[in-house]
DNA sequence: GAGCCGTGGAC
DNA sequence: TGTCCAAGGCT
């Protein structure tokens, strides 16, 4: 009954597109079929999606687009506002590069994004993957973005052990060989749903390279998943080498993960008598660059004792430990932190500023600092009589 | 090339 | 709880 799947690359490409016509996911940054997407939206979504899941990005994307509908609007925003809108999304260099790139496009490129890979790749925060994705999806360039999804899908199809970044070139060649030769004129699943009143130049040709890119990524995200791939639902079925070999999950080869060390810190919740706490901005570069933070000891390998931590406090005070301590996992280390609280004199404190606790949500606070604030706020709300129960271990 | 750079969800 | 993972880029 089932026809054997041809291993001709073009045939596999056609099969993938046919599957995509049925299985296409509706995502906030995807235009209706038949419309050329707005390059600004494509670029914005691709930056947000770097190493970040679709479900996480969704609400951020919607908020950004509502607040800054065009690249010009984003360019006119302050970096502070952009970082604030980005808080919680992580990899904050992306937000800084996003803002820089928007300014570049708005001010020196006349508000138009470069329409090819080379030009796009010159924008800060745009690397090989993102340049190819935007070129294909927004401008119909005949290229294939190779991300983790595409690498996995192609590696499995051909039974390649290769992995990124070494195997990018080989994977690209294999993927591009499946790209339909040229856009075809005539009926297509896009053309059938083209809304009335849309001008012809707004209409994407069938088999647009952007559809192919999105099809590969959808396949990787929904069928050819890292764990427990749903091979029975795959349009490539019996053509897949990794499936034939019986262990599709073993492709591509995985890079052994270095162990994640633990660092320790004590965070100082320093209050004046007016409902304010001390905060400061982190350096522009490096971890949580440009984001706000509360004072803390250095983050070091060795735990802090109650005796030595206060030497790093921003001001003198009777520092009381709050419970519980918390852990926060960064990419290459985990932070084990404790919050201590004291009332300190409200005068100037070097490198720090006083900020109203009630308005902390106006600051660009990374998640790790929000955890600290939550612990401080929870303890602050307790009535004095409640205070001793939870800390047989931390009390002194 | 390898290390750095967040976060929350799935298992 | 711990581990792995996600539409990478920069230095």
């Amino acid at each position: 009954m089932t026809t054997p799947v041809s291993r001709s690359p073009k045939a596999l490409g056609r099969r993938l597109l046919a599957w995509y016509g049925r299985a296409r996911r509706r995502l906030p940054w995807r235009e209706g079929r038949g419309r050329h997407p707005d390059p600004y939206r494509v670029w914005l979504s691709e930056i947000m999606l770097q190493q970040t899941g679709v479900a996480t990005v969704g609400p951020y994307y919607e908020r950004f687009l509502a607040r800054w509908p065009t690249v010009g609007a984003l360019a006119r925003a302050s970096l502070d506002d952009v970082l604030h809108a980005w808080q919680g999304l992580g990899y904050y260099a992306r937000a800084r590069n996003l803002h820089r790139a928007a300014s570049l496009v708005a001010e020196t490129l006349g508000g138009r994004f470069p329409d090819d890979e080379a030009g796009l790749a010159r924008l800060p925060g745009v690397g090989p993957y993102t340049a190819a994705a935007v070129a294909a999806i927004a401008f119909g360039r005949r290229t294939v973005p190779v991300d983790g999804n595409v690498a996995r899908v192609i590696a499995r199809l051909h039974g390649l052990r290769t992995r990124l970044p070494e195997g990018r070139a080989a994977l690209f060649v294999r993927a591009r060989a499946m790209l339909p030769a040229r856009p075809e004129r005539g009926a297509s699943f896009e053309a059938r749903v083209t809304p009335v009143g849309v001008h012809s130049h707004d209409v994407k040709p069938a088999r647009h390279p952007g559809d192919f890119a999105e099809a590969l990524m959808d396949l990787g995200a929904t069928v050819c998943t890292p764990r427990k791939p749903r091979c029975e639902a795959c349009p490539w079925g019996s053509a897949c080498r990794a499936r034939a070999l019986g262990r599709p999950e073993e492709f591509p080869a995985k890079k052994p993960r270095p162990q994640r060390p633990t660092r320790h810190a004590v965070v100082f919740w320093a209050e004046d008598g007016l409902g304010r706490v001390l905060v400061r901005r982190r350096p522009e570069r490096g971890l949580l660059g440009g984001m706000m933070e509360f004072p803390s000891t250095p983050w070091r390998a060795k735990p802090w004792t109650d005796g030595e931590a206060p030497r790093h406090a921003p001001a003198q005070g009777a520092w009381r430990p709050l419970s519980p301590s918390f852990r926060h996992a960064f990419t290459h280390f985990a932070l084990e932190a404790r919050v201590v609280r004291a009332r300190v004199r409200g005068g100037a404190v070097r490198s720090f500023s006083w900020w109203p606790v009630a308005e902390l949500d106006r600051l660009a606070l990374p998640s790790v600092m929000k955890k600290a604030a939550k612990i401080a706020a929870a303890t602050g709300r307790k009535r004095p009589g409640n205070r001793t129960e939870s800390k047989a271990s931390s009390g002194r």
Side-chain angles (χ1 to χ4, degrees), chain A residues 18-27 29-35 37 189-190 204 211 214-215 218:
Chain A
W19 170 84
Y20 181 66
R22 288 178 267 115
R24 181 179 191 270
R25 291 183 295 172
R26 300 189 115 78
L27 301 173
W29 42 88
R30 285 186 180 172
E31 296 291 329
R33 291 171 184 169
R35 295 298 303 260
F189 63 76
E190 292 107 345
K204 280 194 306 187
D211 292 332
E214 291 183 331
D218 274 14

Side-chain angles (χ1 to χ4, degrees), chain A residues 43 46-47 50 97 116-135 145-146 168:
Chain A
W43 164 74
E46 290 298 342
I47 299 295
Q50 290 169 1
N97 287 331
D116 63 4
E117 281 184 83
L120 288 160
R122 279 184 220 113
L123 298 176
V126 177
Y129 162 76
T130 305
V134 176
V146 180
R168 174 182 295 278

Side-chain angles (χ1 to χ4, degrees), chain A residues 204-322:
Chain A
K204 280 194 306 187
R207 298 182 175 178
H208 190 278
D211 292 332
F212 189 75
E214 291 183 331
L216 280 171
M217 290 189 260
D218 274 14
L219 186 67
T222 66
V223 174
C224 194
T225 47
R227 288 174 292 198
K228 303 196 176 196
R230 300 168 46 231
C231 294
E232 69 287 351
C234 182
W236 288 339
S238 60
C240 180
R241 286 287 297 152
R243 185 187 186 191
L245 292 170
R247 303 197 183 283
E249 298 185 68
E250 293 179 1
F251 298 85
K254 291 165 197 159
K255 159 178 354 180
R257 303 227 167 205
Q259 256 199 317
R260 200 159 50 183
T262 297
R263 298 186 194 169
H264 299 267
V266 175
V267 177
F268 299 100
W269 183 263
E271 304 170 323
D272 65 2
L274 305 170
R276 301 182 302 179
V277 293
L278 286 175
V279 299
R280 73 173 167 191
R281 183 184 306 281
R282 293 178 61 87
E284 285 300 316
R285 293 177 167 272
L287 186 72
L288 309 175
M291 302 294 284
M292 302 299 289
E293 68 173 353
F294 305 113
S296 73
T297 62
W299 301 6
R300 69 176 192 187
K302 195 174 139 200
W304 294 89
T305 67
D306 289 346
E308 57 187 350
R311 293 197 295 112
H312 296 271
Q316 289 205 344
W319 296 101
R320 284 180 68 106
L322 307 183

Side-chain angles (χ1 to χ4, degrees), chain A residues 7-328:
Chain A
R7 290 201 185 159
S8 146
K10 298 298 184 197
L12 291 173
R14 285 193 295 274
R15 183 152 294 215
L16 175 65
L17 281 170
W19 170 84
Y20 181 66
R22 288 178 267 115
R24 181 179 191 270
R25 291 183 295 172
R26 300 189 115 78
L27 301 173
W29 42 88
R30 285 186 180 172
E31 296 291 329
R33 291 171 184 169
R35 295 298 303 260
H36 270 302
D38 174 0
Y40 168 66
R41 300 186 185 199
V42 176
W43 164 74
L44 176 63
S45 68
E46 290 298 342
I47 299 295
M48 288 184 165
L49 286 162
Q50 290 169 1
Q51 297 291 284
T52 309
V54 161
T56 302
V57 164
Y60 284 88
Y61 174 82
E62 302 278 18
R63 285 197 294 270
F64 264 71
L65 201 60
R67 186 165 178 185
W68 301 298
T70 66
V71 67
L74 183 57
R76 289 189 295 274
S78 72
L79 177 58
D80 267 358
D81 283 345
V82 173
L83 285 173
H84 181 261
W86 198 275
Q87 65 179 336
L89 200 51
Y91 286 138
Y92 297 98
R94 292 185 295 171
R96 287 178 267 127
N97 287 331
L98 187 84
H99 190 250
R100 278 207 297 148
S103 302
L104 212 100
V105 170
E107 288 163 19
T108 75
L109 300 179
R112 303 182 70 86
F113 278 84
D115 67 357
D116 63 4
E117 281 184 83
L120 288 160
R122 279 184 220 113
L123 298 176
V126 177
Y129 162 76
T130 305
V134 176
I137 297 169
F139 297 110
R141 295 285 182 175
R142 292 177 45 73
T143 187
V144 182
V146 180
D147 68 337
N149 277 317
V150 177
R152 184 173 61 254
V153 165
I154 303 299
R156 286 180 180 169
L157 177 63
H158 294 281
L160 302 173
R161 296 281 181 188
T162 179
R163 64 186 187 214
L164 294 179
E166 314 91 270
R168 174 182 295 278
L171 295 165
F172 174 82
V173 169
R174 307 267 194 170
R176 199 175 185 288
M178 294 190 290
L179 189 59
R182 55 173 49 256
E184 292 180 354
R185 288 179 302 185
S188 71
F189 63 76
E190 292 107 345
R192 285 199 296 276
V193 295
T194 299
V196 175
V198 172
H199 297 301
S200 60
H201 64 265
D202 289 332
V203 180
K204 280 194 306 187
R207 298 182 175 178
H208 190 278
D211 292 332
F212 189 75
E214 291 183 331
L216 280 171
M217 290 189 260
D218 274 14
L219 186 67
T222 66
V223 174
C224 194
T225 47
R227 288 174 292 198
K228 303 196 176 196
R230 300 168 46 231
C231 294
E232 69 287 351
C234 182
W236 288 339
S238 60
C240 180
R241 286 287 297 152
R243 185 187 186 191
L245 292 170
R247 303 197 183 283
E249 298 185 68
E250 293 179 1
F251 298 85
K254 291 165 197 159
K255 159 178 354 180
R257 303 227 167 205
Q259 256 199 317
R260 200 159 50 183
T262 297
R263 298 186 194 169
H264 299 267
V266 175
V267 177
F268 299 100
W269 183 263
E271 304 170 323
D272 65 2
L274 305 170
R276 301 182 302 179
V277 293
L278 286 175
V279 299
R280 73 173 167 191
R281 183 184 306 281
R282 293 178 61 87
E284 285 300 316
R285 293 177 167 272
L287 186 72
L288 309 175
M291 302 294 284
M292 302 299 289
E293 68 173 353
F294 305 113
S296 73
T297 62
W299 301 6
R300 69 176 192 187
K302 195 174 139 200
W304 294 89
T305 67
D306 289 346
E308 57 187 350
R311 293 197 295 112
H312 296 271
Q316 289 205 344
W319 296 101
R320 284 180 68 106
L322 307 183
S323 290
S325 65
F326 69 94
R327 282 182 72 84
H328 185 84

